[in-house]
Amino acid sequence: MDEKNSVAEPNTVQATAASPPSYGDLNSIRDSFGQRFLDSFKRDTNVHVTCGNVSNTDGTGFDVEQAAQNTAHSPLQRRLKGRTGLFVGSGVVLNTGGPASVVIAYVLIGVMLYCTVHALGEMAVLFPVAGSFSHYSTRFLDPAWGFAMGWNYALGWLIVLPLEIVAASITIEYWSPGISNAAWVAVFWALIVSINLFGVRGYGEAEFVFSVIKVVAVVGFIILAIVINCGGGPERGYISGKYWHNPGAFYNNFKGLYSVFINAAFAFGGTELVGLAAAETANPRKSLPIAIKQVFWRITFFYVVSLTLVGLLVRYNDERLIHKSSSANTHASLFVIAIENAGIKVLPSIMNVVIMISVLSVGSSSVYSSSRTLAALAEQGQAPQFLAYIDRKGRPLCAVYVASAIGLLCFLAASDEQITAFGWMMAISGLSSIFTWGSICLSHIRFRRAWKVQGHSVDDLPFKSQPGIIGSWIGFIFNCLVLIAQFWVGFAPIGYAEMSASDLAYNFFSVYLAAPVVLAFYIIYKIWFRTNFVRCHQVDLNYGRRDLHIQHLISQEKVDQAALPAWKKFYKLFC
């Protein structure tokens, strides 16, 4: 073999026990690793996605079929295993509506999200394509609405990154007050960016570790809360439900309940990431249904049960809640306050560590979700073409760089204008999850209609939404109610009679600015490309499907499931 060929095939260098490598061979191995590392950042040459060209042949309108092909053939790596699970802690809402409002609101939003995630799961298992949320809106509703939803979702997560980094730096103040936030901001930014540069595997493994810590902490808190409530705390006796009587179960009347309803919706943000990960999951037909079914337990235990217990242990008028600090502020965390009230000295610091891990987890998820959404938009011709660059390791490298660069806004934490800056950033992204969930439910309704019109049966689906079409209608209506409630609370907030006109205007746009931004994206794109609403008989139900050649396997699985004993069928229903 000549010298040229030996250089072209560096991976042929081998070392055996009988013949140890020479120093020259070791240098070749090092060079090979370094070259492979550098080559991994190059564009994947094995894929041929035509980016940015999704216009009709006459140069007008939007070619939905071409967009479907691009996202279906996205070169994102499918190495994400069934480890990814996300839990985003709820904010301080007890002071807004009282403990009964918290329980009612979280149960209702939990029902809505349960229906929404199942609708998403049905579509994601059948069409595990890149940028699921915006793609489903483009494919089943209207390309203009898909464009608006894609940028709405991307902007929402792009803004979350600097916010969560600042929140993590605030958490550190619990142990090291007086140290500049900028130092911790730099550390956390570098950590989150590094996790995402390891690709989908790095993100998945990091999220697995984060999730295990958070699950153990929440289960431990539930057990501890029951013990404290029954009189097991060192400084308080039997508590039971006395705080529901004094100061009371409700606060601020019906508007307090509506406000908590909105906060509960925001607290669940990120649960839909299970669908976004579909395109990078090794076997979505196996892993996604399990992850989706587990949402029931997350909603039940991590939100409803834990917050019900918190409402039994903390008064809604506790002085530490009066300022309504951010949920990231550990001094206003309901979990920390409940433990401190019991007189337990060590656990508050442990809970603060968990809160910091939760915040970093959300920050990592923000880079992952925003970069994948931007790449999918670019593949559909709805974002700059360079964002569709995906390297040989399946990383949307340019999109990750853009998300990381916007994350540098976290250094505003050291600015005197940080409150104003972050307030307006939150306003732009505040309704992102609500629009996303509503679009998912409506897309599922249209998908089921198209599936039926084109002669398919629901029995042909590899995974069926447990609440079905009725659940999607429930989810869609609930999301509309949240938008109405947010408009009302923004227009006439609690205590609005004592506010000036300028304060009222600022309050409204600070909580509802996202709505006109979404409408602007939609209307401009609609007029520019003259897109049409997608008709049911026009929906392409083939591109991107992974079950086209495995119907016999699906049929056999259904036969096997029918033969299971009753107890195992019940177990499979939720697990």
Side-chain angles (χ1 to χ4, degrees):
M1 183 179 294
D2 58 24
E3 182 180 357
K4 180 179 179 180
N5 289 334
S6 66
V7 174
E9 297 180 359
N11 292 328
T12 59
V13 177
Q14 298 179 353
T16 63
S19 179
S22 65
Y23 289 111
D25 291 335
L26 290 175
N27 289 333
S28 298
I29 293 173
R30 284 194 291 267
D31 293 342
S32 173
F33 173 79
Q35 189 62 45
R36 288 199 305 271
F37 175 77
L38 294 176
D39 288 345
S40 71
F41 291 92
K42 296 180 180 179
R43 185 186 292 274
D44 190 346
T45 57
N46 295 321
V47 295
H48 304 282
V49 175
T50 304
C51 305
N53 182 21
V54 291
S55 298
N56 290 327
T57 55
D58 60 358
T60 63
F62 184 92
D63 192 338
V64 178
E65 181 176 330
Q66 181 64 50
Q69 292 185 48
N70 288 352
T71 51
H73 295 93
S74 174
L76 290 172
Q77 283 283 0
R78 289 169 179 161
R79 294 181 178 177
L80 190 60
K81 307 300 181 182
R83 286 187 168 189
T84 301
L86 301 174
F87 168 70
V88 182
S90 62
V92 179
V93 295
L94 190 63
N95 179 250
T96 303
S101 295
V102 171
V103 174
I104 294 172
Y106 274 79
V107 169
L108 292 176
I109 295 298
V111 170
M112 178 269 288
L113 191 60
Y114 177 79
C115 296
T116 302
V117 172
H118 270 266
L120 172 61
E122 182 175 298
M123 295 185 293
V125 171
L126 190 65
F127 303 105
V129 297
S132 302
F133 313 131
S134 62
H135 172 78
Y136 296 147
S137 296
T138 296
R139 192 169 192 165
F140 303 127
L141 299 176
D142 180 3
W145 188 248
F147 171 78
M149 287 300 95
W151 279 103
N152 162 69
Y153 195 75
L155 287 174
W157 280 110
L158 287 171
I159 297 303
V160 163
L161 177 58
L163 292 173
E164 295 302 322
I165 292 176
V166 172
S169 68
I170 293 174
T171 307
I172 293 294
E173 291 183 0
Y174 189 86
W175 299 284
S176 57
I179 297 179
S180 173
N181 279 355
W184 294 114
V185 158
V187 171
F188 292 138
W189 180 87
L191 176 62
I192 290 173
V193 172
S194 298
I195 289 173
N196 280 271
L197 285 178
F198 276 105
V200 65
R201 270 187 123 169
Y203 168 78
E205 295 303 314
E207 280 303 318
F208 172 70
V209 174
F210 291 157
S211 297
V212 168
I213 295 173
K214 291 179 283 186
V215 167
V216 171
V218 171
V219 172
F221 174 81
I222 289 174
I223 296 173
L224 176 64
I226 294 173
V227 172
I228 294 173
N229 187 262
C230 294
E235 293 186 3
R236 296 198 177 190
Y238 181 66
I239 300 175
S240 184
K242 68 179 183 180
Y243 293 155
W244 282 54
H245 298 283
N246 182 23
F250 293 95
Y251 185 49
N252 290 320
N253 302 316
F254 189 67
K255 187 168 288 187
L257 173 62
Y258 245 42
S259 298
V260 176
F261 190 65
I262 297 167
N263 290 329
F266 295 152
F268 282 110
T271 310
E272 74 287 338
L273 280 171
V274 66
L276 190 69
E280 297 176 88
T281 304
N283 190 351
R285 192 168 59 89
K286 293 288 187 181
S287 58
L288 286 184
I290 295 174
I292 289 162
K293 291 176 182 178
Q294 288 175 353
V295 170
F296 172 81
W297 301 109
R298 294 178 193 166
I299 293 171
T300 302
F301 288 103
F302 297 163
Y303 290 96
V304 177
V305 173
S306 62
L307 288 173
T308 299
L309 291 171
V310 164
L312 294 173
L313 300 179
V314 182
R315 300 171 183 267
Y316 73 69
N317 60 354
D318 188 293
E319 61 181 8
R320 285 162 289 187
L321 301 178
I322 298 300
H323 299 292
K324 298 184 178 68
S325 300
S326 167
S327 61
N329 189 335
T330 58
H331 302 289
S333 168
L334 292 175
F335 297 96
V336 173
I337 292 174
I339 296 172
E340 289 178 342
N341 286 346
I344 302 174
K345 304 299 182 183
V346 179
L347 287 181
S349 290
I350 297 177
M351 186 57 67
N352 281 326
V353 172
V354 176
I355 292 172
M356 184 179 68
I357 291 174
S358 299
V359 170
L360 291 175
S361 174
V362 176
S364 177
S365 298
S366 69
V367 177
Y368 175 86
S369 55
S370 60
S371 61
R372 269 63 183 177
T373 303
L374 288 173
L377 286 169
E379 288 172 347
Q380 297 177 87
Q382 296 176 331
Q385 185 174 344
F386 77 93
L387 293 174
Y389 181 96
I390 296 177
D391 65 18
R392 295 180 183 180
K393 291 295 184 181
R395 296 169 294 202
L397 211 57
C398 291
V400 170
Y401 290 156
V402 169
S404 303
I406 293 178
L408 293 174
L409 290 172
C410 60
F411 285 98
L412 286 172
S415 169
D416 294 335
E417 301 296 327
Q418 60 167 309
I419 296 177
T420 302
F422 285 119
W424 285 113
M425 283 193 291
M426 279 297 294
I428 295 174
S429 62
L431 296 174
S432 173
S433 294
I434 309 304
F435 279 111
T436 297
W437 296 338
S439 295
I440 289 171
C441 292
L442 190 57
S443 296
H444 181 246
I445 293 169
R446 294 294 295 167
F447 157 70
R448 277 289 191 96
R449 178 62 180 166
W451 190 255
K452 181 179 179 180
V453 166
Q454 297 188 27
H456 298 280
S457 170
V458 292
D459 294 330
D460 297 332
L461 296 171
F463 173 74
K464 289 189 292 185
S465 167
Q466 290 177 352
I469 280 292
I470 295 176
S472 293
W473 277 112
I474 292 173
F476 180 70
I477 292 171
F478 267 48
N479 278 286
C480 291
L481 290 176
V482 173
L483 289 175
I484 295 171
Q486 182 75 329
F487 182 88
W488 182 36
V489 172
F491 181 76
I494 296 173
Y496 72 95
E498 301 175 359
M499 299 173 64
S500 64
S502 60
D503 289 338
L504 285 172
Y506 176 83
N507 180 80
F508 176 78
F509 284 106
S510 66
V511 299
Y512 220 75
L513 180 61
V517 170
V518 167
L519 289 177
F521 272 102
Y522 174 71
I523 294 172
I524 293 173
Y525 196 88
K526 184 80 171 175
I527 295 174
W528 185 267
F529 285 96
R530 302 193 296 277
T531 61
N532 297 317
F533 295 104
V534 180
R535 306 291 296 272
C536 290
H537 67 276
Q538 297 173 333
V539 173
D540 189 337
L541 296 176
N542 292 319
Y543 278 111
R545 282 176 59 182
R546 287 201 203 173
D547 70 331
L548 286 173
H549 306 293
I550 58 173
Q551 285 296 335
H552 63 287
L553 294 178
I554 297 174
S555 300
Q556 184 59 45
E557 287 176 358
K558 291 179 179 178
V559 172
D560 295 339
Q561 291 173 1
L564 293 175
W567 69 268
K568 200 161 189 178
K569 289 181 181 178
F570 181 78
Y571 172 81
K572 290 286 186 180
L573 187 64
F574 296 104
C575 300

